[in-house]
C-alpha cells in the first residue's frame, strides 16, 4: 500500500473519530442558539464564525496528523531497514549455525575415524606381538633343530674329506641333482603308468564296444536265419501251389479246348441248318456262341408257335 493512499484513509478515519461527536454536539447546540437568537443574520454570522473556528481547528488537526503520519512513515522506514538488517543478521546467524554444525559433524567424523584407526592400530599391534611370539617360538625350534642337525654337518665334512668333493655345498648340489633326477624318473614312470592305464581303459572300452557289436551282429544273423528258414518253407509251399496252379491250368486249358471244339461243331451244324454263308471266324468262339444262342432262341419260338397251333386244333 502506498503512503498517499494510507494517509487519505487514515485522515478520513481520524476526522470521523475525532470530530464526529463534536459536530453532533455543536448541531445539538444550534437549535438552542436559534431559540435565543432573534435575528437570522446574527445566527448566520455565528455559524460562519463557528465554521471558521472549526476549519482552523481542522487545519491544525490535519497538520498535526500529517506531522504524525510523516513521523510514522519515517519510523516505518526505519523499522523496514531494521527488519532487513535483522533478516540479514538471522541469515548470517543461521549460516553460522550451519557452519558450526558442519564443523561439529566433521569433527565427530574425524574423531570417529581416529578412534577406529587407533583400534585398528591396536589390533595390528596385538597381531604383530602375536606374530613376534610365534616367530620367537619358531626361532627356538629352529635353533634346537640346528643343534640336532649339527651332527649331519660334521658327517658331511667327513664325506668331503673322504670323497672327490671339495665343499659341502657340492655334495648338497649333487644330492639335489640326484633327487631331481629321481623325481623326474618317478614322474616319467607315473606318466607311463597313467598312459598304460588309459590304454587299458581304451582297450577295455573298445573290447566292450566290439562285443556289443558282435552280439548285435549275432542277433541280426539269427534273425536273418529265421527269415531265411521261413522263406525256404514259403518257397516249398509256393512251389506246391504253383504246381497245383499249373495242373489246374492244364485241365482248364484242355476243358476250354474241348468247349471250343464242341462250340465249333454246334456252329457248323447250325450253319448247315440255316444254309447261310457265315463270316464268323473259326477262332471267335463268342460270336459262334451268340449265333448258336440266337438259333436256339428261334427254334424255341418256332416250337412254342407250333405247340400253340396244335393246342388250337385239338380244341377245335
Amino acid at each position: 500500500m502506498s503512503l498517499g493512499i494510507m494517509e487519505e484513509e487514515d485522515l478520513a478515519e481520524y476526522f470521523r473519530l475525532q470530530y464526529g461527536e463534536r459536530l453532533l454536539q455543536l448541531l445539538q447546540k444550534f437549535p438552542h442558539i436559534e431559540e435565543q437568537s432573534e435575528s437570522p443574520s446574527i445566527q448566520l454570522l455565528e455559524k460562519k464564525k463557528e465554521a471558521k473556528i472549526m476549519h482552523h481547528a481542522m487545519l491544525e488537526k490535519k497538520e498535526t496528523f500529517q506531522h504524525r503520519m510523516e513521523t510514522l512513515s519515517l519510523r516505518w522506514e526505519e523499522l523496514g531497514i531494521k527488519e532487513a538488517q535483522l533478516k540479514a543478521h538471522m541469515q548470517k546467524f543461521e549460516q553460522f549455525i550451519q557452519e558450526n554444525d558442519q564443523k561439529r559433524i566433521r569433527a565427530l567424523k574425524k574423531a570417529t575415524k581416529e578412534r577406529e584407526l587407533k583400534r585398528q592400530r591396536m589390533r595390528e599391534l596385538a597381531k604383530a606381538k602375536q606374530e613376534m611370539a610365534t616367530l620367537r617360538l619358531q626361532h627356538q625350534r629352529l635353533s634346537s633343530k640346528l643343534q640336532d642337525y649339527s651332527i649331519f654337518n660334521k658327517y658331511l665334512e667327513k664325506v668331503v674329506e673322504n670323497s672327490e668333493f671339495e665343499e659341502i655345498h657340492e655334495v648338497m648340489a649333487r644330492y639335489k641333482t640326484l633327487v631331481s633326477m629321481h623325481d623326474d624318473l618317478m614322474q616319467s614312470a607315473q606318466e607311463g603308468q597313467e598312459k598304460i592305464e588309459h590304454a587299458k581303459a581304451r582297450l577295455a572300452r573298445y573290447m566292450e564296444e566290439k562285443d556289443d557289436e558282435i552280439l548285435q551282429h549275432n542277433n541280426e544273423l539269427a534273425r536273418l536265419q529265421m527269415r531265411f528258414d521261413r522263406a525256404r518253407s514259403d518257397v516249398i509251399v509256393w512251389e506246391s501251389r504253383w504246381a497245383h496252379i499249373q495242373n489246374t491250368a492244364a485241365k482248364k486249358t484242355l476243358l476250354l479246348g474241348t468247349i471250343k471244339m464242341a462250340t465249333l461243331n454246334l456252329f457248323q451244324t447250325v450253319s448247315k441248318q440255316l444254309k447261310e454263308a457265315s463270316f464268323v471266324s473259326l477262332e471267335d468262339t463268342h460270336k459262334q456262341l451268340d449265333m448258336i444262342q440266337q438259333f436256339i432262341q428261334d427254334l424255341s419260338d418256332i416250337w412254342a408257335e407250333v405247340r400253340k397251333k396244335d393246342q388250337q386244333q385239338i380244341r377245335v
Side-chain angles (χ1 to χ4, degrees):
M1 183 182 292
S2 65
L3 186 59
I5 296 172
M6 184 179 67
E7 290 178 354
E8 291 178 359
E9 292 180 355
D10 292 339
L11 283 171
E13 183 65 21
Y14 177 77
F15 284 116
R16 186 180 64 80
L17 295 174
Q18 293 292 329
Y19 300 105
E21 295 181 357
R22 294 182 181 181
L23 289 173
L24 290 175
Q25 292 175 3
L26 289 172
L27 290 173
Q28 289 175 1
K29 291 179 180 180
F30 287 156
H32 181 69
I33 295 171
E34 290 176 357
E35 290 177 356
Q36 293 178 358
S37 300
E38 297 178 355
S39 174
S41 60
I42 294 171
Q43 292 178 1
L44 179 61
L45 290 173
E46 290 178 355
K47 288 181 179 180
K48 287 182 178 181
K49 185 179 180 180
E50 290 176 358
K52 288 180 180 180
I53 293 169
M54 290 183 66
H55 180 67
H56 287 299
M58 288 179 67
L59 289 175
E60 290 177 358
K61 294 290 184 181
K62 185 176 182 182
E63 289 177 359
T64 304
F65 183 76
Q66 287 179 353
H67 181 69
R68 289 180 64 187
M69 288 302 297
E70 289 175 358
T71 305
L72 289 173
S73 298
L74 291 174
R75 290 184 65 188
W76 183 262
E77 290 177 359
E78 290 177 357
L79 288 173
I81 293 170
K82 289 182 179 180
E83 184 180 1
Q85 292 176 354
L86 183 60
K87 287 182 179 177
H89 287 303
M90 289 296 293
Q91 289 178 356
K92 290 181 179 179
F93 182 72
E94 289 178 355
Q95 186 176 1
F96 175 74
I97 294 297
Q98 290 178 358
E99 289 178 356
N100 285 337
D101 289 338
Q102 291 177 359
K103 289 179 180 178
R104 182 176 59 81
I105 291 170
R106 286 197 296 270
L108 289 174
K109 288 183 178 178
K110 185 177 180 180
T112 303
K113 188 175 181 181
E114 289 178 354
R115 286 195 297 270
E116 183 63 28
L117 183 60
K118 184 178 180 181
R119 285 195 292 267
Q120 184 178 358
R121 287 178 179 175
M122 291 297 291
R123 289 195 295 270
E124 290 177 355
L125 181 60
K127 185 177 180 181
K129 288 181 179 179
Q130 185 176 3
E131 290 178 354
M132 181 65 72
T134 304
L135 290 173
R136 286 176 180 174
L137 291 174
Q138 289 181 357
H139 181 265
Q140 291 176 0
R141 286 197 297 270
L142 291 173
S143 298
S144 178
K145 286 183 179 180
L146 182 61
Q147 292 177 0
D148 294 336
Y149 293 161
S150 60
I151 58 174
F152 297 104
N153 189 25
K154 294 177 180 179
Y155 173 77
L156 290 173
E157 289 177 353
K158 291 181 180 180
V159 169
V160 170
E161 292 176 357
N162 298 320
S163 64
E164 61 184 1
F165 299 104
E166 296 180 356
E167 298 291 340
I168 294 175
H169 65 84
E170 294 179 358
V171 178
M172 297 297 295
R174 181 63 176 172
Y175 173 75
K176 290 180 180 179
T177 303
L178 293 174
V179 170
S180 178
M181 291 177 64
H182 178 266
D183 293 337
D184 292 337
L185 291 173
M186 290 298 294
Q187 185 176 2
S188 300
Q190 186 177 0
E191 291 176 356
Q193 186 65 30
E194 289 177 355
K195 290 180 180 179
I196 292 171
E197 294 296 331
H198 289 308
K200 287 182 179 180
R202 287 198 300 271
L203 179 61
R205 287 196 299 272
Y206 179 77
M207 293 294 293
E208 185 177 358
E209 291 174 358
K210 293 305 177 182
D211 290 338
D212 293 337
E213 291 180 1
I214 291 170
L215 181 61
Q216 291 177 0
H217 289 312
N218 289 332
N219 293 331
E220 184 68 18
L221 183 62
R223 187 175 62 82
L224 292 174
Q225 185 66 36
M226 291 176 64
R227 289 182 62 185
F228 178 73
D229 294 338
R230 285 198 299 271
R232 288 183 64 183
S233 61
D234 292 339
V235 165
I236 295 171
V237 172
W238 284 108
E239 285 179 351
S240 62
R241 288 183 180 180
W242 175 246
H244 177 70
I245 289 169
Q246 285 181 344
N247 294 328
T248 304
K251 291 179 182 179
K252 289 184 177 181
T253 301
L254 180 61
L255 179 62
L256 180 62
T258 303
I259 292 170
K260 284 184 175 181
M261 290 296 296
T263 303
L264 180 61
N265 292 330
L266 286 173
F267 174 71
Q268 290 176 353
T269 303
V270 168
S271 296
K272 289 179 181 179
Q273 292 292 331
L274 292 175
K275 296 179 181 182
E276 293 180 359
S278 61
F279 300 98
V280 178
S281 174
L282 296 177
E283 301 295 332
D284 194 354
T285 305
H286 292 286
K287 288 185 177 180
Q288 293 174 6
L289 288 172
D290 290 337
M291 290 186 68
I292 292 168
Q293 183 179 5
Q294 186 64 38
F295 178 74
I296 292 171
Q297 185 67 36
D298 292 338
L299 287 177
S300 298
D301 293 339
I302 293 169
W303 175 248
E305 186 67 25
V306 170
R307 287 185 64 186
K308 184 177 179 181
K309 288 181 178 181
D310 290 341
Q311 290 176 358
Q312 288 177 356
Q313 289 177 1
I314 290 170
R315 290 176 182 174
V316 174

